[in-house]
């Protein structure tokens, strides 16, 4: 894309969004030394206001007990909205066993 002055816009191609700081650190450590080490990897709050062609929402480092303990944080409507509306073209959501095995009764705690 080009801006009105003809310069190339600096919109990142990929953002990686995580709910927690420790997940951000884990993703960054996993990417270190790879061609993808320069990707924007941060929490939902830091991603607010940014956009990219593709967004990877990473909930892959959560254990079942962590998910159950923070269900209202993880499934907060505003947090999910920010996570899923940063992408211009594609969202990729990575879910670990912690969310995949979440008891549906835990979701009732949101109301």
């Amino acid at each position: 894309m080009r801006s009105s002055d003809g310069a190339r816009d600096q919109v990142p191609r990929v953002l990686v969004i995580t709910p927690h700081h420790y997940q951000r650190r884990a993703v960054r450590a996993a990417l270190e030394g790879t061609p993808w080490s320069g990707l924007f990897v941060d929490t939902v709050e830091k991603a607010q206001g940014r956009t990219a062609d593709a967004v990877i929402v990473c909930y892959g480092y959560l254990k079942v007990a962590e998910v159950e303990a923070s269900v209202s944080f993880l499934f907060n409507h505003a947090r999910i909205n920010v996570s899923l509306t940063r992408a211009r073209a594609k969202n990729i959501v990575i879910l670990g066993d912690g969310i995949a095995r979440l008891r549906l009764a835990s979701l009732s705690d949101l109301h």
Side-chain angles (χ1 to χ4, degrees), residues 13-19 27 36 39-40 42 44 52-60 80 82-96 99:
R13 307 254 327 149
V14 178
L15 300 176
V16 180
I17 299 174
T18 67
V27 171
W36 304 282
L39 288 179
F40 173 92
D42 221 321
V44 174
D53 294 334
V55 173
I56 300 169
V57 181
C58 183
Y59 279 61
I80 290 174
V82 169
S83 296
L84 297 177
T85 59
R86 304 300 93 202
R88 291 180 169 193
K90 178 163 290 285
N91 279 310
I92 300 168
V93 180
I94 299 172
L95 302 174
I99 290 191

Side-chain angles (χ1 to χ4, degrees), residues 25-43:
R25 289 189 297 270
V27 171
R28 284 184 180 167
L31 295 175
E32 193 172 309
T34 72
W36 304 282
S37 63
L39 288 179
F40 173 92
V41 179
D42 221 321
T43 61

Side-chain angles (χ1 to χ4, degrees), residues 20 62 65-76 110:
H20 294 294
L62 296 171
E66 292 171 315
V67 173
E68 288 177 348
S70 60
V71 71
S72 62
F73 172 82
L74 294 171
F75 292 99
N76 173 275
L110 295 174

